[in-house]
Amino acid sequence: MTKLTKKDILGMADLTVDEIHLILETAESFLEISTRDIKKVPTLRGKSIINLFYEASTRTRTSFEIAGKRLSADTINISASTSSVVKGETLIDTARNLEAMNPDIIVLRHSAAGAPHLLAGLVRQSIINAGDGAHEHPSQALLDMMTIREKKGRIAGLKIALVGDIQHSRVARSNIYGLNKMGARVVVAGPATMMPRDIEKMGVEAFTRIEDAIVDADVVMMLRIQLERQKQNLFPSLREYAQRYCLNRTNFKLAKSDAIVMHPGPINRGVEISPDIADDSGFSVILDQVANGVAVRMALLYLLSGGNE
Amino acid sequence: MTKLTKKDILGMADLTVDEIHLILETAESFLEISTRDIKKVPTLRGKSIINLFYEASTRTRTSFEIAGKRLSADTINISASTSSVVKGETLIDTARNLEAMNPDIIVLRHSAAGAPHLLAGLVRQSIINAGDGAHEHPSQALLDMMTIREKKGRIAGLKIALVGDIQHSRVARSNIYGLNKMGARVVVAGPATMMPRDIEKMGVEAFTRIEDAIVDADVVMMLRIQLERQKQNLFPSLREYAQRYCLNRTNFKLAKSDAIVMHPGPINRGVEISPDIADDSGFSVILDQVANGVAVRMALLYLLSGGNE
Amino acid sequence: MTKLTKKDILGMADLTVDEIHLILETAESFLEISTRDIKKVPTLRGKSIINLFYEASTRTRTSFEIAGKRLSADTINISASTSSVVKGETLIDTARNLEAMNPDIIVLRHSAAGAPHLLAGLVRQSIINAGDGAHEHPSQALLDMMTIREKKGRIAGLKIALVGDIQHSRVARSNIYGLNKMGARVVVAGPATMMPRDIEKMGVEAFTRIEDAIVDADVVMMLRIQLERQKQNLFPSLREYAQRYCLNRTNFKLAKSDAIVMHPGPINRGVEISPDIADDSGFSVILDQVANGVAVRMALLYLLSGGNE
């Protein structure tokens, strides 16, 4: 496979193994551009990319914007709080209006699961899902897989533990889809109140104790507690959550001796992960994830624009 | 006429017929750029355009930003909510400061009627009025006229009906000025509480029933109910407004059989216009308006920068 | 000295006289670019500059953005209010994440004194302090010095009066450091409640009457009353402040006959400075300061990127 035939990147559920390979290999080839003195190639000159963000985000929006600019595309940011969204326009009308301005790609973050899928069927532009509610966040899963491959040389056969709020995490969902397809053994752990009822049907083993998931893991991926998204009290207090689910020196010893630690960020230090674990470059690859994120997004923008046509 | 001698674009009241023709013809020639694979020409390279928006806007700001970028200008966005406007600086001082940074064009949206005219007399840069209170919105009227010309081949002699909140609509005001100059017959309809007292002096016929305005119209232009701008209750409820003024299959039959439907957006679906009318590409040209908007704004930026000098 | 060996621009306290000279001379050579028809040179093509603003700002952010764009750098704006700062991420984690995306320079404005210094020690990118609490604002002091040199031909030996809220002003602090190094005689005046206790240790003469500072001054620099930053009541009312500290025709007569008037903006008209003084181009150089600001920021971005390497 040398080019992507999909119009949109909506989720890991939709991507084939070949497509994932193509994206990761393209991203790997782009990684070097960001380390050059002149970090810019003319590949997407004259393309218009709209970042349409209905939820606040620093890293994802900045990552897509930098990715676009390093490929010489024009990037236009629209954030819900400063837009005519206050005027009550529907998402569909907003998208149709943007479509009429002839951008090439719309990168959408929205609090509603399925919002990007809805738009993908309505507008002729490519849609990239930059996070839709608690549903999917494919560019995050792709950068996670790129990082695992970079550090471990492969994904197939690895034991990968995801720990935290599985139910509300689009990062977890996208990684479960993607890692399963790539042949990893995925185990999850989290409070029962944060565990989807039918989680085993997604092809993972589920535990309520972090230790049961971490044991012998090659990769430990800690999930963010979405403090700002939870209306209900799913656990008594942050302190109690941290006591049971925080990755620390003690429980991390259960993982393989060469295990790596991942987190999608932003980190709640001392809640999901103890600071000494997060900052230990011996096994924490959290910042490699961020660097790979720019490369993955460059790859997505490039491939959706026609790639090497 | 082959170049614009005006420094600013403040309103349709100020533009001559020749100037309107020049702008529309220039916009028509730019329309094709946005359909290219590489949507960018070097025309305004090294020009700085500031979008100074004191009111929230998706489509107008995005349209100007895309227009600038496709001409290779540098675009800088300033929105009131995230700026030193919170520090209480006057508009004049803000403008003089921006002037000192040597931009080429300042695109201003402001809630106060006359704000762009005030700045135009104070700073040496070109000012484009992107909407000033309930006063004027010339780039909207120009894109409306471009769309009418595209669909009808001419403006002169057409019957054009504007329906809704005539009093608070800068879109209505700019279109009345512009369409009258171009020889159209403009009729308006709306609740008596939303009709300017001396509306006939603007050279239009005014009605309170939508049907009286629509009958035999070539163009039906529905106006947005500015829910967010009305402090007073100018009609009992949205529902009653919709019952009397919503464009639907029944009253639209009164228009000419080849009539087109326009709306400046964002649409309040089911209030100003029924969804099936808005979305029927047989006669709804709402999205053509948006596409033409980018071309009109490219033309304005180009002509104010000296055109083909 | 022909190139800057510093990684960061954190404050005037850190800059040597040679470094200040280099920056001012570089800025003077860049001033002309902003007056060209094509205001753009390819110097920083392929460089990524992040404007990370935790406090609202029009002029400083716009000035840095325009400076970057005129040097052909890619500029990315992040403002705290629309970013994942709402998710409670620490400044350090935000900076480390941005670092991983490989920008070249991070321009930081933050309400906490010392924030840029903290980041400078943690990330490999160059940090420019665009204002840290009541601490320093070096690019402002540099543009002030550039303006004084432009108008007076020199800085050494001039009597320069700073009037207003000395205690809370990062502009005052940076100017005191810088002007002292350059051999000026700096005098300050302000209410006793706004005067640092040990102000004389900074090498300035301090007065509580504006007249005592202004007399025979070559330069009168009025400071902004930071209405939005003061929690306490440091003076009875704005009116009483203005009665005692507003620069007006009467007290300005005490200065040298060829004295110039400066203000970092935004101006509270009639509070710090009477409108007729602020707007008199015979001696007010407030807008020259703004124009020079773009040139100074171009110089900083250029020199931190390696200059003429």
Side-chain angles (χ1 to χ4, degrees), chain A residues 37 39 59 70 269 290, chain C residues 47 89 93 97 102 104:
Chain A
D37 194 41
K39 303 168 189 63
R59 78 192 58 214
R70 291 201 177 142
R269 289 175 168 267
V290 178
Chain C
K47 304 287 183 186
E89 187 176 42
D93 278 340
N97 271 280
N102 269 323
D104 297 274

Side-chain angles (χ1 to χ4, degrees), chain B residues 60-256:
Chain B
T60 305
R61 195 265 299 167
T62 303
S63 184
F64 271 110
E65 184 175 351
I66 288 179
K69 285 182 152 79
R70 291 199 177 145
L71 293 169
S72 298
D74 289 325
T75 58
I76 296 104
N77 294 320
I78 302 177
S79 72
S81 56
T82 58
S83 79
S84 77
V85 175
V86 297
K87 295 189 188 173
E89 187 175 42
T90 66
L91 172 64
I92 291 175
D93 278 340
T94 297
R96 280 195 176 128
N97 271 280
L98 295 177
E99 176 186 32
M101 296 184 200
N102 269 321
D104 297 89
I105 297 176
I106 298 175
V107 179
L108 176 68
R109 167 162 289 192
H110 200 282
S111 60
H117 309 68
L118 179 69
L119 292 199
L122 287 171
V123 304
R124 68 182 177 282
Q125 280 80 21
S126 291
I127 304 289
I128 299 179
N129 179 1
D132 61 326
H135 183 219
E136 280 240 34
H137 191 357
S139 64
Q140 177 69 43
L142 288 162
L143 72 88
D144 290 337
M145 287 192 271
M146 179 180 175
T147 307
I148 294 170
R149 231 159 79 139
E150 183 183 66
K151 303 299 173 190
K152 293 287 167 195
R154 64 188 171 108
I155 294 173
L158 296 182
K159 178 179 177 184
I160 300 176
L162 277 61
V163 179
D165 182 355
I166 307 296
Q167 171 122 38
H168 299 90
S169 172
R170 52 196 176 203
V171 176
R173 200 168 309 268
S174 286
N175 266 297
I176 290 170
Y177 287 131
L179 293 170
N180 268 342
K181 284 184 189 180
M182 302 298 277
R185 178 185 160 211
V186 183
V187 299
V188 301
T193 50
M194 293 175 163
M195 191 64 71
R197 219 173 284 247
D198 298 344
I199 183 70
E200 284 86 2
K201 289 193 184 151
M202 292 187 75
V204 304
E205 299 162 71
F207 301 94
T208 51
R209 293 179 65 244
I210 183 173
E211 292 80 4
D212 294 335
I214 293 179
V215 64
D216 288 329
D218 298 282
V219 176
V220 180
M221 192 184 293
M222 303 306 294
L223 301 171
R224 177 179 166 72
I225 289 295
Q226 305 280 356
L227 295 173
E228 71 283 8
R229 209 175 289 165
Q230 286 173 1
K231 298 281 186 317
Q232 319 147 256
N233 288 322
L234 298 178
F235 47 88
S237 72
L238 273 189
R239 201 168 162 195
E240 281 169 281
Y241 179 87
Q243 276 170 351
R244 295 198 55 199
Y245 293 103
C246 186
L247 186 70
N248 56 40
R249 292 260 165 218
T250 309
N251 54 27
F252 185 53
K253 287 205 181 93
L254 296 169
K256 287 221 181 102

Side-chain angles (χ1 to χ4, degrees), chain A:
Chain A
M1 180 169 241
T2 58
K3 50 176 284 193
L4 203 62
T5 52
K6 278 202 162 44
K7 174 172 125 359
D8 311 288
I9 300 291
L10 300 175
M12 299 308 299
D14 308 320
L15 288 174
T16 66
V17 170
D18 279 355
E19 287 168 337
I20 294 171
H21 274 296
L22 174 63
I23 294 166
L24 296 185
E25 277 151 26
T26 307
E28 283 154 13
S29 75
F30 278 149
L31 196 52
E32 170 267 338
I33 294 171
S34 290
T35 66
R36 292 184 194 171
D37 194 41
I38 295 180
K39 303 168 189 63
K40 206 173 179 83
V41 292
T43 316
L44 297 190
R45 203 175 65 81
K47 303 287 183 186
S48 312
I49 296 166
I50 293 182
N51 291 319
L52 179 58
F53 275 61
Y54 285 80
E55 291 186 324
S57 163
T58 297
R59 78 192 58 214
T60 305
R61 194 267 296 167
T62 304
S63 184
F64 271 109
E65 184 175 352
I66 288 179
K69 285 181 152 77
R70 291 201 177 142
L71 293 169
S72 297
D74 289 325
T75 58
I76 296 103
N77 294 321
I78 302 176
S79 71
S81 56
T82 58
S83 78
S84 76
V85 175
V86 299
K87 296 190 187 171
E89 186 176 43
T90 66
L91 172 64
I92 292 175
D93 277 341
T94 298
R96 280 195 177 128
N97 270 280
L98 295 177
E99 177 186 31
M101 297 183 199
N102 270 321
D104 297 273
I105 297 176
I106 298 174
V107 179
L108 176 69
R109 167 162 290 191
H110 201 282
S111 59
H117 308 69
L118 179 68
L119 293 200
L122 288 171
V123 304
R124 65 182 180 281
Q125 280 80 20
S126 291
I127 304 289
I128 299 179
N129 179 1
D132 62 326
H135 184 218
E136 281 240 33
H137 191 356
S139 65
Q140 177 69 43
L142 287 162
L143 72 87
D144 290 337
M145 286 193 272
M146 180 180 175
T147 307
I148 294 170
R149 228 159 82 140
E150 182 183 68
K151 303 299 172 188
K152 294 287 167 195
R154 63 190 171 107
I155 293 173
L158 297 182
K159 178 178 177 184
I160 300 177
L162 277 62
V163 179
D165 182 354
I166 308 296
Q167 172 123 36
H168 300 89
S169 172
R170 52 197 178 202
V171 177
R173 199 169 311 268
S174 285
N175 266 298
I176 290 171
Y177 287 131
L179 293 170
N180 268 342
K181 285 184 189 181
M182 301 298 276
R185 178 185 159 210
V186 182
V187 299
V188 302
T193 50
M194 293 174 163
M195 191 65 70
R197 219 172 285 248
D198 297 343
I199 182 69
E200 284 84 4
K201 290 195 183 151
M202 291 187 76
V204 305
E205 299 160 70
F207 301 94
T208 51
R209 293 180 65 245
I210 181 174
E211 292 80 3
D212 294 336
I214 292 179
V215 65
D216 288 329
D218 298 282
V219 176
V220 181
M221 191 184 293
M222 303 306 295
L223 301 171
R224 177 179 167 74
I225 290 295
Q226 305 280 356
L227 296 173
E228 70 283 5
R229 207 174 291 163
Q230 287 173 2
K231 297 281 189 315
Q232 320 147 256
N233 288 323
L234 299 178
F235 47 87
S237 72
L238 271 189
R239 200 169 162 193
E240 281 169 282
Y241 179 86
Q243 275 171 352
R244 292 197 57 196
Y245 293 101
C246 185
L247 186 70
N248 55 40
R249 292 262 165 215
T250 309
N251 55 28
F252 185 52
K253 287 206 181 93
L254 296 169
K256 286 222 180 102
S257 61
D258 62 348
I260 57 172
V261 174
M262 306 178 78
H263 190 294
I267 300 176
N268 296 303
R269 289 175 168 267
V271 178
E272 303 120 15
I273 192 164
S274 68
D276 59 327
I277 294 281
D279 297 336
D280 192 321
S281 60
F283 43 79
S284 170
V285 299
I286 294 172
L287 296 176
D288 302 86
Q289 292 173 267
V290 178
N292 289 337
V294 174
V296 156
R297 281 146 189 152
M298 288 172 78
L300 294 177
L301 298 174
Y302 169 76
L303 291 168
L304 289 178
S305 298
N308 55 359
E309 281 181 305

